[in-house]
Amino acid sequence: MTEPELDLIAIGRSSVDLYGQQIGGRLEDMACFSKAVGGCPTNIAIGAARLGLKTAVITRVGDEQMGRFILEQLGREGVDTSGVIVDPKRLTSLVVLGVRDEHTFPLIFYRTDCADAALDESEISEDFIASARAVVVTGTHFAIAGAAKAQRKAIALAKKHGRRVVFDVDYRPNLWGLAGHGAGEARYIRSETVTSHLQTILPDCDLVVGTEEELHAAGGSEDTLTAIRAIRALSGATIVCKRGPMGCVVFPGAIPESLEMGIKGPGFPVEVYNVLGAGDAFMAGFLRGYLRDEPIATCCAWANACGAFAVSRLLCSPESPTFAELDYFLKHGSPHRALREDAALNHIHWATTRRPQPQTLMALAIDHRAQIEAIADEAGVPHGRIAAFKQLAVAAAARVARDMADSGDLAGFGMLIDGRHGREALFRAADHGFWVARPLEVPGSRPLALETDAEGSLGAALNEWPVDHVAKCLCFYHPDDDEALKATQEATLRRVALACRQVGRELLVEIIASKHGPLGDDTTAQVMRRLYDCGIKPDWWKLESQPSAAAWAAIDAAIAENDPLCRGVVLLGLDAPLAELEDAFRLARGAASVKGFAVGRSIFGAAARDWFAGRIDDEAAIAAMAARFGRLVQSWQQSGQQA
């Protein structure tokens, strides 16, 4: 028998979940929402992928922006999408959800003639099913005739090829037509019709998972033990009964006299924030063990812990833990009943689920405001002209990136651009798929001040940015600064770091120490350690050139000791001559944490002065900046080869 390439294929619902963010409010009053991929099998596939399994989904999405969002997010999560059909006629399913209190979670399913409900048995490929160790079928999709045929075909093919069949009962009464549209949160309505449907599935299953209410539906009894015995009479499957904060109990063989006599794993009593999606996270955790042939007690522990993470957080699939996060939690626990308040866990979760980024970053920095305003003033031209120049800088970076792509090099290119003069440049940078960072600081401020403080809320400002824009904050900080200045700057950086995490934006902290004291072998590393001690863990550091290999080694050590999940360091330029920067590149390349550069005035300075003064036209300015940026790109790559 051919060894399967995938661990599991999940079949069925795939939706976009819109979560109301006003906790405690009525769904009628929700004013803003968070968007996430949803649907029981899709959540399971994402959760299991985060835990290290190779997963795929078979579903349908619409040929529109929401469908593309699901496809793109599945790709980012590492879920195989070759079984996802794009439906040109139907819309992607939507679900609107809210949290009223710890017992009330209103939700509305928008599924009238939706894409995933049109799944057809012709779309179930025998070769694809045979490529996985297991298929996961879900109860709700058996409520739709065509989708039920598709799942039954998948079951038959899995059995034919000796694969495991996993059944998540996933009982939603209103999706079986037993309750109205406004009763989406209803978990159980007794129905002989539903029971008779579900019981035809049970004989072919290897694993059956459900809450007590879901097992009541499958077993045809509202006494849990009686229902489980009825399931056992029809199926030799391992039966898993989910019991919320009490964990779970598993019956691999004969059903004992009491639920408590089944195999159990540790429960994790946590504050319930939102139960929606907890079962999907539970299933992902259980499958991580089950498909790796771990002991059932281990499967239970992983499943219960994953469920605890989910109920303690707001969303569904985005809240599923990665294996690194799960492992940390099982080893260290948490001092918080509300796991979303655990800074250590939150950082691991953030750093292991953020969007993929290039391993090498070469960025043209044009986020300067005061310096470019000074150049414009020197030439006697209005500041309104700055926006046009920044667009030329984008064109220059794009020219270099295009030339590199034509030569077969797809290394990461980026730009630092401000919103004050660079609004249109930001739009143009998006045309080229650049990594983008944007400044928050008032130029030259010391102590650090934020531009947003003069305009309103930092969080509200960040929330308006595209999700892939990185917040950059420059701080002039030296270890010899007086304690009051340090405390003021640290408080501002903490506020920035917190806001970035709350709204899901990456943070780049730029440190320049040399302007306010000597730069020794441990100067920058001391600053970094101090900020780490304050709880500030940026995704990126932007640092000035260092005086020695020992200085870079100290920076490597500071990152390794405090945040090994940090993306790394990019070098800044400080308007240095290109030859000097090239020497700095060669020195920095010996450091494991250095991933690239973000240089500005060394690239655009001369071109800006000539362009504002009218000595060169647009094309000449683009060519001049592209030549200097291209030289640094080549130097960076060559220094890497030498290192």
Side-chain angles (χ1 to χ4, degrees):
M1 185 181 297
T2 304
E3 185 70 15
E5 299 175 1
L6 296 168
D7 289 301
L8 69 90
I9 298 171
I11 307 171
R13 287 190 289 133
S14 189
S15 64
V16 171
D17 291 349
L18 301 175
Y19 271 89
Q21 292 187 287
Q22 290 73 57
I23 307 303
R26 303 186 310 153
L27 199 53
E28 294 88 335
D29 299 324
M30 292 297 163
C32 55
F33 297 82
S34 291
K35 182 179 70 172
V37 172
C40 171
T42 310
N43 289 339
I44 292 169
I46 290 174
R50 289 185 171 188
L51 295 174
L53 296 184
K54 296 178 180 178
T55 71
V57 290
I58 296 177
T59 188
R60 282 193 183 201
V61 298
D63 187 15
E64 21 77 351
Q65 290 86 345
M66 292 299 177
R68 287 191 287 277
F69 163 67
I70 291 175
L71 281 167
E72 291 173 9
Q73 186 59 30
L74 288 173
R76 284 189 285 266
E77 298 281 3
V79 177
D80 186 311
T81 59
S82 56
V84 180
I85 296 93
V86 177
D87 190 325
K89 297 180 180 179
R90 297 171 180 84
L91 292 170
T92 302
S93 170
L94 297 178
V95 184
V96 179
L97 315 92
V99 176
R100 186 65 188 272
D101 55 43
E102 65 180 46
H103 305 292
T104 312
F105 308 95
L107 71 158
I108 305 170
F109 293 97
Y110 290 81
R111 294 186 54 79
T112 302
D113 195 30
C114 67
D116 69 50
L119 192 66
D120 185 83
E121 61 181 325
S122 65
E123 294 157 345
I124 304 298
S125 160
E126 180 170 356
D127 288 344
F128 193 48
I129 295 297
S131 72
R133 296 179 186 279
V135 295
V136 178
V137 294
T138 50
T140 296
H141 245 49
F142 285 105
I144 306 164
K149 289 181 180 179
Q151 292 202 119
R152 289 183 189 277
K153 180 180 178 181
I155 290 172
L157 292 171
K159 302 301 288 185
K160 175 183 175 181
H161 290 276
R163 307 314 189 201
R164 302 186 204 182
V165 175
V166 178
F167 179 34
D168 189 319
V169 180
D170 181 36
Y171 182 40
R172 294 287 185 180
N174 75 329
L175 297 184
W176 284 85
L178 301 176
H181 292 310
E185 69 174 313
R187 292 307 180 104
Y188 179 74
I189 295 176
R190 185 166 187 171
S191 168
E192 295 300 327
T193 300
V194 172
T195 297
S196 64
H197 272 75
L198 299 182
Q199 289 189 345
T200 63
I201 304 156
L202 296 173
D204 290 320
C205 297
D206 298 290
L207 178 68
V208 175
V209 180
T211 63
E212 291 193 58
E213 293 85 357
E214 288 171 337
L215 296 183
H216 295 168
S221 172
E222 292 176 4
D223 176 78
T224 303
L225 198 58
T226 301
I228 291 172
R229 285 182 175 140
I231 294 170
R232 172 60 72 239
L234 295 167
S235 174
T238 297
I239 303 168
V240 180
C241 178
K242 297 183 289 187
R243 306 177 74 192
M246 293 186 290
C248 66
V249 58
V250 181
F251 305 96
I255 308 305
E257 297 179 359
S258 164
L259 287 178
E260 304 305 322
M261 296 173 68
I263 300 174
K264 292 183 287 186
F268 300 95
V270 296
E271 178 194 88
V272 174
Y273 195 58
N274 177 21
V275 300
L276 304 173
D280 305 335
F282 174 98
M283 177 67 98
F286 196 92
L287 289 175
R288 172 61 168 84
Y290 177 74
L291 295 177
R292 290 286 189 267
D293 297 320
E294 297 284 352
I296 288 178
T298 299
C299 299
C300 292
W302 290 354
N304 291 337
C306 288
F309 277 109
V311 299
S312 189
R313 295 167 173 169
L314 177 61
L315 306 179
C316 287
S317 63
E319 313 294 24
S320 286
T322 60
F323 197 77
E325 186 181 3
L326 175 63
D327 185 58
Y328 181 92
F329 177 63
L330 292 174
K331 287 179 179 177
H332 302 282
S334 174
H336 301 274
R337 288 195 71 247
L339 296 184
R340 65 188 177 280
E341 296 175 359
D342 188 312
L345 286 173
N346 286 344
H347 179 66
I348 297 171
H349 183 78
W350 166 261
T352 54
T353 61
R354 58 195 168 194
R355 292 185 172 218
Q357 295 282 14
Q359 291 300 305
T360 296
L361 182 60
M362 296 170 292
L364 196 167
I366 192 75
D367 60 321
H368 305 68
R369 288 142 288 161
Q371 295 97 327
I372 294 186
E373 287 170 1
I375 293 172
D377 291 342
E378 182 182 321
V381 300
H383 291 178
R385 291 276 288 154
I386 296 174
F389 181 77
K390 296 204 172 194
Q391 293 174 60
L392 300 181
V394 174
R399 182 173 297 180
V400 175
R402 184 172 59 250
D403 290 345
M404 296 298 294
D406 289 344
S407 67
D409 193 321
L410 300 178
F413 286 89
M415 296 198 72
L416 276 67
I417 307 174
D418 63 290
R420 184 197 303 176
H421 299 301
R423 184 171 181 269
E424 189 64 28
L426 285 165
F427 298 153
R428 300 289 68 81
D431 296 340
H432 304 288
F434 288 150
W435 175 93
V436 172
R438 300 169 61 168
L440 292 172
E441 76 281 351
V442 173
S445 58
R446 179 173 153 93
L448 173 63
L450 306 180
E451 285 195 334
T452 54
D453 289 344
E455 302 164 359
S457 163
L458 171 60
L462 289 172
N463 214 33
E464 291 181 357
W465 293 9
V467 294
D468 55 352
H469 283 193
V470 177
K472 167 247 173 183
C473 199
L474 164 59
C475 185
F476 294 95
Y477 190 124
H478 194 277
D480 295 337
D481 291 341
D482 68 69
E483 290 302 315
L485 176 58
K486 288 180 182 178
T488 299
Q489 304 217 105
E490 290 158 5
T492 302
L493 285 172
R494 275 196 300 269
R495 185 158 63 91
V496 169
L498 177 61
C500 286
R501 290 296 173 270
Q502 288 175 330
V503 301
R505 301 298 185 273
E506 292 195 23
L507 172 62
L508 180 153
V509 170
E510 179 176 357
I511 297 297
I512 297 178
S514 62
K515 299 289 186 182
H516 298 278
L519 189 65
D521 286 348
D522 197 42
T523 303
T524 302
Q526 284 185 57
V527 175
M528 295 167 68
R529 287 193 179 93
R530 170 94 180 211
L531 296 182
Y532 277 132
D533 288 343
C534 294
I536 299 163
K537 293 185 175 182
D539 301 274
W540 300 89
W541 292 97
K542 187 181 177 196
L543 304 176
E544 58 196 315
S545 301
Q546 296 298 305
S548 67
W552 282 119
I555 288 168
D556 274 351
I559 293 174
E561 293 163 11
N562 292 279
D563 184 17
L565 296 172
C566 177
R567 288 201 186 274
V569 175
V570 291
L571 270 69
L572 57 91
L574 286 179
D575 202 16
L578 295 189
E580 187 176 312
L581 286 176
E582 289 168 338
D583 289 339
F585 286 178
R586 284 187 284 272
L587 179 62
R589 276 299 209 166
S593 59
V594 177
K595 303 299 182 184
F597 66 87
V599 173
R601 286 172 293 167
S602 302
I603 296 170
F604 73 74
R609 291 184 179 87
D610 288 341
W611 185 82
F612 280 113
R615 292 188 290 269
I616 59 174
D617 61 12
D618 291 357
E619 173 54 33
I622 293 171
M625 288 187 283
R628 296 177 74 81
F629 184 39
R631 175 178 165 181
L632 286 183
V633 167
Q634 290 182 338
S635 176
W636 177 259
Q637 294 177 328
Q638 289 169 359
S639 64
Q641 293 168 358
Q642 293 166 359

